[in-house]
Amino acid sequence: MSIENFNIKVSDEVLEDLKYRLDHARFPEQLEGLHWERGTDIDYLKSLVSYWRYEFDWRAQEEELNRFSHFHCEVDGIDIHFIHERGKGPNPIPIILTHGWPDSFLRYKKLIPMLTDPASHGGDPEDSFDVIIPSLPGFGFSSKPLHSGMNNCEVSELFAKLMTEKLGYSRFAAAGGDVGSGVTRYLAFNHPELLIAIHLTDIGIIKDLISSRNEEKLSQEELNYKKNASSWISNEGAYMSIQSTKPQTLACGLSDSPVGLAAWIIEKFRAWSHCEGDLSKSFSKDELLTNIMIYWVTNTIGSSANIYYENVHSLSPLGPIEVPTGLALFPVDILLPPREWAEKNLNITKWTTVARGGHFTAMEEPELLAKELREFFKAYRNKK
């Protein structure tokens, strides 16, 4: 399959079915005096669902998304959806940006013009990028894997082939967060010859520190991380436990209920962002619902959850990464990594603590992330 143009066009039948389901939603009761302590606040959820039903305009969002250049391309039996926007500077470098869960390619929407056309956004045209943003297999408008084994490493192999065999780039940059951080690191580990440099906004949950029994060999920072990570997993990691053990059971409920799907996703956007408990400080309702809609109209909440199962059950361990790596930490992101561990396991050439922002970096603070990416990759532009 060659590269084909793609436009997002959801059928009227899917939208009518959604309206029916929203009209007939059944909400659970909530104990008096509780809000978000035991999960998604029902009063907030009801207000969001009301906005979804009566004010949200999917067709307007669809039109906005279709202003970008979307494509489909088959790689090893997976039909990958991706955005490909060419840089407007004299010497753009290609960069593949990989999203995570429960976001989507929408994560990088605001970032695209800042990277492709930096001159129009307070930057230097010499710092432009060709931007490639794929949807992970099983997410959004990419096809769903038919067999088990599609973990971060396997995704990285697909993306390496997309960039080289399909798009013709001999070398490129890569960046990502959440699942996208893992995919980016496997790209760098398995194909250092293809990568100019990589940039991360997190390095995931560091399992070898959490499971370490030789605490006397850990630094104080690493010990603090182990303690904080164990506490976080106990209190906030239920989603991860179910998605890595019984994702199919979860999918039955969330694939059938748009309200359930919204509750599952928005709880994470509130907990992991720098919104200080008020989602409206970091995201508009249109942003939240457009992201939820990408999951709903493609029926991919189940297939997206599967990557957690695959990463637990079939993912080979990573070794040290030699590719130059930039790490930008946003202050309220999940489990900020110990610098000592990061520098032992990655070739950190730039370490930045960003002033504000959380886990959904490019959605929350696109200007800060764009500036960071332009500054970091400036040193590697002559190596493409």
Side-chain angles (χ1 to χ4, degrees), residues 119-236:
S120 296
H121 297 86
D124 186 335
E126 296 283 347
D127 294 333
S128 69
F129 295 83
D130 287 352
V131 175
I132 299 91
I133 307 171
S135 293
L136 291 162
F139 286 69
F141 299 100
S142 286
S143 68
K144 304 175 182 70
L146 298 178
H147 307 285
S148 60
M150 187 56 68
N151 54 40
N152 285 353
C153 183
E154 293 301 310
V155 174
S156 75
E157 293 299 310
L158 295 179
F159 287 0
K161 291 178 180 180
L162 172 68
M163 293 296 287
T164 56
E165 297 177 11
K166 301 298 182 178
L167 296 179
Y169 294 114
S170 58
R171 301 194 75 210
F172 54 92
D178 195 84
V179 174
S181 168
V183 171
T184 300
R185 283 178 280 136
Y186 274 93
L187 261 174
F189 180 68
N190 290 323
H191 296 285
E193 75 283 359
L194 299 180
L195 275 297
I196 300 166
I198 64 171
H199 189 275
L200 310 171
T201 53
D202 63 71
I203 48 177
I205 296 174
I206 306 171
K207 294 179 181 178
D208 63 346
L209 282 182
I210 297 172
S211 61
S212 175
R213 295 183 179 181
N214 298 318
E215 293 194 351
E216 67 276 3
K217 294 184 178 181
L218 302 181
S219 68
Q220 188 59 51
E221 188 184 19
E222 289 171 333
L223 285 170
N224 290 341
Y225 176 89
K226 180 179 180 179
K227 179 182 177 181
N228 293 336
S230 298
S231 174
W232 185 87
I233 290 170
S234 295
N235 292 293
E236 297 289 340

Side-chain angles (χ1 to χ4, degrees), residues 98-112:
T98 306
H99 67 84
W101 185 94
D103 54 89
S104 59
F105 71 92
L106 187 70
R107 179 186 186 112
Y108 295 112
K109 174 190 168 190
K110 298 173 187 174
L111 200 62
I112 296 172

